[in-house]
Amino acid sequence: MKNYTNIFLSSAVMVLFDQVLFSGANFLITIFLAKTLHPENFGLFSSIVIVTFLALSVSNALIIQPFQVSYSKTEAKHQYLSFLLIGQLVLLFLISLIIVIGCLVMNSIENIRANMFFIILFIAGYLFQDFYRKLLLGLEKIKLVIWVDVLFILLVSIGFFYFQNAMNLKLSLGILGIANMLSTLPAIFFSFKEFQFPTYSNNWFKMHCKQGQWLISVAFLQWSASNLFVLLSGIYLGVQALGAFRLVQSIFGIINIMLQTVENYFIPKISKLWNQNSIQAKKYLLQLSFTGFLFFGLLLAFLFFNSKSIIVLFGGAQYENYHFVIKMMTILYVFIFLSYPIRIAVRVQVLNKIFFIGYALSFISSIITFHYLLQHFALKGAIIGLVINQIIMIGYWYFELNRKKLALWK
């Protein structure tokens, strides 16, 4: 019995549980708002979320991603963590200032200016909570992360229940923004206990800028490469095709949860091991990949062979003819999974220029091929384009690793 308890409480299982908790809560929030808000307001809320994700990409590129691969090599760890907190607060101020300017410029959209304060509250709260979640995951303070997420869920549930009959855009943004801010209180308390004024800020600032100059470009390219075919499928093929594409992407959300776990937890862990013994780090990474492939392979096979019943279950009979999208997405996810060991190897060795070029090549491929693929192969062409993007990235990254004699396997 004790062995089963140890397995259940192991770090990896707890991280996966937290990611399921976090992603599941956000999924249910989206469903609730879609049903309670006016369609126009929900559309505006969705647009704000997209802007938030772009701001999140900038925050991760400048603060979190350099931290994930640099913390294990830093000696003055308490000072470095304090530097990260100060840097995140400065970045939040700058992003808020940009949002204010953007809201004032878009004066033709009345809801934007009227809800400016609540838009800033929502985006700042989301970024602040995300900063602490990923910081604590990198420090392996997993129980504290779970407390943050549980507190967020409780606060949002109370707010939505109390205002359920009067829900509007302003209340939605306000409840989520305040819940995000208040849920970080346990993490803030942890920070204050560990706070030491950073005396090496200049060196750390230069290091984050050096890494961030590539990572922030990757963030924009990654977003563009991932969303270009999705957005253009709606223009070329109509709203129903776009809806089917988005529905299938939601069905594959469970796989994205697991990949996000790898991104947030295993990259700092493997980076630490890599700095100690690169050979052992390669063995650990390959073993982790093999174990993951067995699980992912079974899950993808289930989705592939039950595609019709799955899409009808989640979307209804009107989507039955789009079951082929699930089959093709399973093929795409095979390539996505195969890219992860190589992706991690590039990240932990701080080869950010190579990381950037891989996504740049992928984005260029999208620009070159989207018209032909969508025009001749319709929705199948969109997924073919995403597969081509993955192959180009994997090929380039592995070529560069092999050229630098850093390849995972020969």
Side-chain angles (χ1 to χ4, degrees), residues 68-99:
Q68 289 175 332
V69 297
S70 302
Y71 178 73
S72 62
K73 296 179 285 188
T74 303
E75 294 183 3
K77 296 187 184 301
H78 291 315
Q79 292 190 30
Y80 180 53
L81 294 177
S82 302
F83 164 79
L84 293 174
L85 175 58
I86 294 171
Q88 182 68 30
L89 292 173
V90 171
L91 186 60
L92 284 179
F93 172 78
L94 294 175
I95 290 174
S96 299
L97 186 60
I98 293 171
I99 294 169

Side-chain angles (χ1 to χ4, degrees), residues 184-406:
T184 59
L185 286 176
I188 292 172
F189 180 72
F190 165 79
S191 291
F192 283 152
K193 286 202 308 180
E194 305 289 332
F195 189 88
Q196 291 183 11
F197 189 80
T199 56
Y200 303 100
S201 298
N202 191 46
N203 293 335
W204 290 327
F205 178 77
K206 289 179 180 178
M207 181 268 290
H208 275 253
C209 287
K210 183 178 180 181
Q211 293 190 36
Q213 66 180 335
W214 295 109
L215 291 171
I216 198 169
S217 301
V218 168
F220 282 104
L221 286 174
Q222 187 175 9
W223 184 90
S224 300
S226 299
N227 290 282
L228 184 64
F229 276 103
V230 180
L231 294 173
L232 290 175
S233 64
I235 297 173
Y236 274 69
L237 309 174
V239 177
Q240 189 173 1
L242 176 60
F245 207 159
R246 291 295 301 159
L247 173 62
V248 173
Q249 285 184 321
S250 299
I251 294 171
F252 278 76
I254 186 172
I255 298 178
N256 290 332
I257 290 172
M258 297 171 189
L259 294 178
Q260 193 67 38
T261 301
V262 172
E263 195 83 13
N264 292 335
Y265 177 71
F266 284 106
I267 285 182
K269 191 178 183 71
I270 294 170
S271 176
K272 181 179 179 180
L273 183 59
W274 202 289
N275 293 327
Q276 296 169 352
N277 189 320
S278 61
I279 295 176
Q280 289 299 317
K282 288 182 182 181
K283 289 181 179 179
Y284 176 76
L285 180 54
L286 291 174
Q287 183 181 13
L288 180 67
S289 302
F290 179 74
T291 303
F293 187 75
L294 292 177
F295 178 79
F296 275 99
L298 291 173
L299 181 58
L300 291 175
F302 175 80
L303 291 171
F304 185 89
F305 290 110
N306 296 278
S307 59
K308 185 173 292 188
S309 58
I310 289 171
I311 200 165
V312 171
L313 174 66
F314 284 96
Q318 66 269 26
Y319 287 102
E320 184 176 354
N321 292 333
Y322 289 98
H323 72 93
F324 70 89
V325 181
I326 291 182
K327 291 184 181 292
M328 295 194 69
M329 285 287 281
T330 58
I331 298 171
L332 170 63
Y333 269 81
V334 168
F335 285 96
I336 290 175
F337 183 79
L338 290 175
S339 74
Y340 254 74
I342 301 171
R343 175 191 181 92
I344 292 173
V346 172
R347 283 286 315 282
V348 299
Q349 294 172 93
V350 201
L351 301 174
N352 294 331
K353 183 178 180 180
I354 291 173
F355 200 57
F356 165 77
I357 294 175
Y359 272 105
L361 293 173
S362 172
F363 177 67
I364 292 169
S365 171
S366 298
I367 295 295
I368 294 173
T369 61
F370 80 83
H371 178 73
Y372 176 83
L373 290 173
L374 291 174
Q375 191 173 52
H376 289 83
F377 300 100
L379 206 49
K380 292 179 181 178
I383 304 174
I384 291 171
L386 293 174
V387 171
I388 292 172
N389 289 352
Q390 286 295 321
I391 293 173
I392 289 172
M393 281 194 296
I394 295 171
Y396 173 74
W397 286 340
Y398 190 76
F399 170 78
E400 287 294 338
L401 287 174
N402 192 57
R403 189 171 66 86
K404 295 177 180 292
K405 299 182 180 179
L406 297 169

